[in-house]
Amino acid sequence: MAAKSDDNSLPPGFGTRPWLVQGSRGDTLTFVDVSDLSLHETVVPEVRGKTCLGCMHGDWLLMLDESTADCFLLRISTNPRSKIQLPPLHQPLNFLSTIKMLESPDSPKCTILIASSPEVEEESYLLYCRPGEDEWTKLVSPFNDIHLSAFMCNYEGKIYSACSNLVVIDMVDGKIQLQRVGTIKDEEKYARGSGCYHVVESCGKLFLLWIEELGCFGNDGLLTAIDVFCLDLELMSWERVESIGSDRTFLISENYTFSCPSIEGVLQGNCVYLVWSSCDSERLYKFCLDDMTISFQQILPQPTKPWCRAFWTVPASIQSILPMEISAKPNSLLSTKLSKDILLNDLDEHIEDGPENSLCLWEHLPVDLLELIVSNLSLVDRIRFPTVCKAWSKVSNPIEQAKVWPWLMHISKQDGMCRLFDPLRGEEYNMQVSIFKTNEDRHIFRSSKDGWVFASAGIYGHDIFIINPFTEDIVEPPMFERRYHYNGVSFSSPNPMCPNCYFFGINSSLSGKFLNIHTWRHEETEWIEQHFEYDVPFPVGYNNPVMFCGKFYCLGRKGNLGAFDPTSNTWEILDKPEPIHAEMDLLEDDHRGREFCYLVDLEGELISVLLHNANEAPRVFKLDLTKMSWVEVEDIGGGALFLDHRTSYSVGSPDGGHGNRIYFPRYSVDRKPVFYDMDNKIYYPSFYGHIEPLNCAWVVPNLHKNESTSED
């Protein structure tokens, strides 16, 4: 519940640090304190029936009455509030894009600029005015190849538009002038998929942020990656960087970006905070560049529409304050760091020998007792077990007998260090993998199966390989002809080094009317591609194909199935089971089209899971093979599912009461796994506020050394 004030008073602390503010066209502004996510509502009569177009220069809101075209600036941090009237604004909202202010209203140079929307307007133009003027002036861009839209930021009293070109916007002799500085080189521009750009000025440097979204589902998508570039003015090129500074934080909402000092207990350094409206709520995402993880919190209970977003208010006074001068509440949900007490254990760590007199007793334990001890150890402890002493190394096959389940493997830097999180034991380990130690190629996990990880390298992700990170065995298929763009990839054999192993990739258009299949065998020199076009669409879900009864089964976003038979090299969309969502608008506002769907083989049964949002439980279905129909179930017979859009797994009967759970690739700060408990119908520890590595995959540990000639 939000604390509400009817006396026009602002919440305590507002104006001293960054907050979020949102208007709903009523007479109330909602303030979000990002230090504890508390909500405060204040009645502001001036905003009744108005739309907030953005927040500029700290705490100035640009307000518009769409019915009367009344437009004005409103400063919300002063008492009484300051209001500056502007000329009537008649353009429809969908014709408008980014709004910027050239210097503050206290300056005679103050100018408000509004860029046209590239999605609606063919010509690129700016609308601008100064306080006191009677009308807006329209300035058409003189550059045919530049659209002045979302990529604008303030810097040293001017406005810069920077993406593919650098343009300076300044007021000269009372008129706005545009100066093209030059073209910016961007080697990775054509390697990017769906996502959005943001430009930020910070400490005299221009940064370009690319935030990748899985699926191009509007605001229902899954944010999967962030890349940060800094403009090298000498080379006029965007250069990739791993940090924005341990003392800086970037704040983003819509097309508005800010850089401010990190604030202990409120905003963590070297992090990017993004306001994002999902299908169930308004969320605040945090990208941590130190370890390349993402987390999100609910900030408003309902999603918002464009022009009704929550905007950052960043007091101009703190943007120049040194980081050590700022402090606030120490226990923020958004800025919590890992405790130093949580230690990472190396997989190659050995138990140190103690004094000989104490070791002597352990050496003479009977073999039967040692085997009983081993049977109750985790996989990692079994690896360490033979190193304790010579007698213990004689226990037969301790690793072979270990029961394994999926671990979450992720990398944050190109230093060869992989981290593995055991969700059932809540432990994390380090493991060096030599192929991931490079300064040239970026490695991205795409899928995994039976301990083997399907990964891509290079700017375009078309250089691919399949590696067992535990043994460093590797399979290197031919490179893709273009950038990696698959909905799912897999292979047929538990050992991809097997000569008969069949490799399979699939992708479809967003509408599902166009579908491509790519296949490869060891003796072939290139991937074979097949194209399909359908009147009845089959939009492929973002999940791994499942090898089941000799065929690759693929789950569509509607809940129906397609199957590829590697023996006959044929693909078909199955008539049965019938789609779970028979009628679904994939491109408009039907949120069911944006559900995340997963397919797994649970002990010989095909299981599909549809997941929408935090307010709804995952829907789980079993395929009845006799009737070829989906049957919704309330439990999975004591099994456990490990879901992710890259790869999903199942375990028939996990140890320690972990059954009837659906695990997600997230964990809490104190290393508790995030899962849905099907028995108690609850997310544990909770749906929000937990850490998810950006570059990760579920992997079942596999320490078997394989040979390319071996058959499975």
Side-chain angles (χ1 to χ4, degrees):
M1 282 291 293
K4 190 163 185 176
S5 171
D6 295 323
D7 59 359
N8 298 338
S9 62
L10 293 171
F14 182 79
T16 63
R17 59 180 183 268
W19 282 60
L20 286 163
V21 60
Q22 186 256 346
S24 59
R25 291 187 174 92
D27 62 356
T28 301
L29 292 179
T30 300
F31 297 86
V32 182
D33 185 346
V34 295
S35 68
D36 58 11
L37 301 182
S38 59
L39 302 182
H40 306 262
E41 293 182 348
T42 297
V43 175
V44 181
E46 295 95 330
V47 305
R48 182 179 290 113
K50 311 296 192 300
T51 299
C52 181
L53 303 186
C55 184
M56 299 165 289
H57 272 270
D59 53 2
W60 286 93
L61 303 182
L62 180 63
M63 307 301 301
L64 174 67
D65 188 326
E66 296 177 69
S67 62
T68 65
D70 181 30
C71 186
F72 58 90
L73 291 170
L74 182 67
R75 190 174 193 181
I76 55 178
S77 64
T78 57
N79 190 9
R81 286 178 286 273
S82 302
K83 180 178 178 181
I84 299 177
Q85 192 65 43
L86 298 177
L89 182 60
H90 296 283
Q91 265 77 2
L93 288 180
N94 62 328
F95 281 56
L96 307 178
S97 179
T98 308
I99 300 170
K100 291 292 179 182
M101 184 188 295
L102 190 63
E103 299 199 7
S104 74
D106 299 327
S107 168
K109 198 178 176 181
C110 175
T111 308
I112 296 88
L113 301 96
I114 305 178
S116 60
S117 172
E119 287 79 17
V120 178
E121 293 281 58
E122 293 184 2
E123 66 175 356
S124 175
Y125 61 83
L126 293 175
L127 297 176
Y128 70 90
C129 76
R130 291 192 290 179
E133 293 183 340
D134 296 328
E135 62 182 8
W136 294 83
T137 300
K138 182 177 181 180
L139 174 63
V140 178
S141 172
F143 314 118
N144 294 329
D145 58 338
I146 302 177
H147 206 296
L148 305 169
S149 56
F151 315 121
M152 300 196 301
C153 64
N154 296 78
Y155 176 51
E156 291 188 342
K158 301 178 182 179
I159 293 177
Y160 285 76
S161 175
C163 191
S164 298
N165 295 272
L166 183 62
V167 177
V168 179
I169 305 171
D170 195 11
M171 175 69 70
V172 180
D173 297 330
K175 295 183 179 180
I176 289 293
Q177 292 188 1
L178 308 179
Q179 179 187 358
R180 182 172 183 166
V181 178
T183 301
I184 305 175
K185 292 181 290 185
D186 185 357
E187 295 182 355
E188 302 186 27
K189 177 178 180 180
Y190 298 105
R192 302 182 184 113
S194 301
C196 55
Y197 289 101
H198 298 279
V199 176
V200 189
E201 182 278 326
S202 180
C203 300
K205 297 180 180 179
L206 288 178
F207 290 85
L208 177 71
L209 276 63
W210 167 254
I211 297 177
E212 187 173 83
E213 178 189 0
L214 180 71
C216 192
F217 296 161
N219 289 316
D220 288 341
L222 182 68
L223 304 180
T224 55
I226 183 171
D227 296 324
V228 183
F229 305 85
C230 186
L231 180 60
D232 187 319
L233 286 172
E234 291 185 2
L235 300 175
M236 281 298 289
S237 66
W238 291 114
E239 301 296 324
R240 179 182 289 274
V241 295
E242 293 186 350
S243 173
I244 61 175
S246 60
D247 60 346
R248 304 302 295 180
T249 296
F250 288 175
L251 310 176
I252 303 173
S253 178
E254 289 286 291
N255 295 330
Y256 302 93
T257 60
F258 298 92
S259 170
C260 72
S262 57
I263 305 175
E264 183 181 357
V266 181
L267 298 171
Q268 184 176 327
N270 203 28
C271 289
V272 177
Y273 291 84
L274 170 70
V275 177
W276 188 264
S277 189
S278 68
C279 58
D280 63 337
S281 64
E282 192 93 342
R283 295 178 179 176
L284 180 59
Y285 283 83
K286 182 183 77 171
F287 294 90
C288 180
L289 302 181
D290 285 333
D291 57 6
M292 295 306 292
T293 59
I294 187 174
S295 57
F296 58 87
Q297 293 278 13
Q298 176 181 295
I299 55 174
L300 295 173
Q302 300 295 330
T304 63
K305 298 290 185 181
W307 302 111
C308 291
R309 301 288 189 233
F311 293 108
W312 288 102
T313 64
V314 183
S317 59
I318 77 162
Q319 297 190 39
S320 59
I321 296 178
L322 294 176
M324 64 282 297
E325 295 181 72
I326 303 177
S327 63
K329 301 180 182 180
N331 297 318
S332 168
L333 295 172
L334 298 175
S335 62
T336 310
K337 296 183 179 179
L338 298 182
S339 168
K340 294 181 180 179
D341 296 331
I342 302 175
L343 302 177
L344 301 180
N345 305 298
D346 292 335
L347 277 175
D348 56 358
E349 178 185 352
H350 297 318
I351 299 175
E352 296 181 0
D353 288 343
E356 292 184 3
N357 57 356
S358 61
L359 184 61
C360 179
L361 297 175
W362 295 103
E363 284 183 333
H364 295 90
L365 289 175
V367 174
D368 291 346
L369 179 58
L370 291 175
E371 291 181 346
L372 179 62
I373 293 173
V374 168
S375 67
N376 290 280
L377 295 180
S378 67
L379 174 63
V380 173
D381 288 334
R382 289 179 187 233
I383 296 173
R384 297 168 175 163
F385 188 85
T387 68
V388 174
C389 59
K390 184 176 180 180
W392 288 27
S393 65
K394 297 179 181 180
V395 176
S396 60
N397 296 321
I399 297 176
E400 298 287 338
Q401 301 165 5
K403 186 171 184 178
V404 294
W405 48 81
W407 291 2
L408 189 65
M409 186 174 81
H410 62 102
I411 55 176
S412 58
K413 308 293 182 183
Q414 299 301 118
D415 57 1
M417 182 64 71
C418 290
R419 291 185 175 183
L420 297 115
F421 174 67
D422 181 346
L424 301 194
R425 297 181 182 269
E427 298 176 350
E428 190 171 67
Y429 309 94
N430 284 345
M431 180 174 66
Q432 279 284 343
V433 181
S434 58
I435 196 172
F436 297 139
K437 189 175 183 179
T438 174
N439 293 323
E440 299 178 1
D441 292 331
R442 297 171 57 234
H443 298 100
I444 300 176
F445 299 155
R446 305 295 185 178
S447 181
S448 78
K449 180 179 179 180
D450 297 303
W452 292 79
V453 177
F454 197 112
S456 66
I459 293 176
Y460 292 91
H462 60 317
D463 187 3
I464 59 172
F465 58 94
I466 299 99
I467 184 173
N468 182 333
F470 301 92
T471 63
E472 301 208 36
D473 291 331
I474 193 168
V475 175
E476 298 183 83
M479 295 175 64
F480 290 134
E481 292 184 358
R482 52 186 180 274
R483 71 174 179 85
Y484 185 94
H485 61 292
Y486 295 97
N487 294 59
V489 290
S490 190
F491 43 89
S492 61
S493 172
N495 175 16
M497 300 180 74
C498 170
N500 295 329
C501 186
Y502 203 97
F503 300 82
F504 174 81
I506 186 170
N507 74 291
S508 73
S509 62
L510 188 61
S511 66
K513 292 183 178 180
F514 304 96
L515 186 144
N516 295 324
I517 285 174
H518 296 74
T519 58
W520 177 74
R521 297 177 187 268
H522 278 282
E523 69 274 8
E524 296 171 341
T525 59
E526 62 182 12
W527 288 79
I528 306 300
E529 185 173 3
Q530 299 182 52
H531 303 276
F532 301 89
E533 184 174 349
Y534 297 102
D535 294 329
V536 179
F538 183 79
V540 179
Y542 286 88
N543 54 72
N544 57 299
V546 174
M547 194 67 181
F548 184 75
C549 297
K551 297 180 180 180
F552 290 103
Y553 280 81
C554 302
L555 183 64
R557 282 166 49 204
K558 291 186 174 182
N560 52 340
L561 291 173
F564 180 82
D565 188 343
T567 59
S568 60
N569 206 37
T570 56
W571 162 262
E572 65 173 329
I573 299 174
L574 304 183
D575 295 329
K576 292 184 176 181
E578 295 181 355
I580 297 171
H581 297 310
E583 299 294 332
M584 183 171 64
D585 192 332
L586 297 168
L587 301 177
E588 298 300 330
D589 292 330
D590 189 344
H591 290 291
R592 291 175 303 167
R594 286 76 178 263
E595 282 188 318
F596 294 99
C597 51
Y598 309 91
L599 187 68
V600 293
D601 177 357
L602 175 60
E603 296 189 315
E605 292 185 298
L606 275 184
I607 304 291
S608 65
V609 182
L610 302 184
L611 177 63
H612 194 193
N613 59 55
N615 299 323
E616 300 177 12
R619 299 180 65 193
V620 182
F621 300 83
K622 282 186 180 181
L623 182 62
D624 185 336
L625 291 174
T626 60
K627 300 179 180 178
M628 282 303 291
S629 63
W630 290 117
V631 178
E632 190 163 5
V633 296
E634 297 294 326
D635 68 77
I636 47 177
L641 305 181
F642 301 80
L643 303 184
D644 182 44
H645 68 89
R646 286 157 285 233
T647 297
S648 296
Y649 282 99
S650 67
V651 174
S653 53
D655 292 338
H658 299 285
N660 267 353
R661 292 180 177 180
I662 300 175
Y663 287 87
F664 302 98
R666 302 196 293 272
Y667 46 82
S668 64
V669 173
D670 56 354
R671 291 303 188 269
K672 293 179 180 177
V674 175
F675 60 87
Y676 180 77
D677 187 328
M678 297 185 70
D679 291 330
N680 297 310
K681 296 180 172 36
I682 189 173
Y683 287 97
Y684 181 85
S686 64
F687 189 85
Y688 293 107
H690 303 298
I691 301 167
E692 179 175 348
L694 287 168
N695 190 12
C696 67
W698 290 114
V699 179
V700 176
N702 178 357
L703 281 75
H704 299 284
K705 191 71 176 176
N706 292 284
E707 301 293 338
S708 59
T709 56
S710 65
E711 295 288 343
D712 226 296

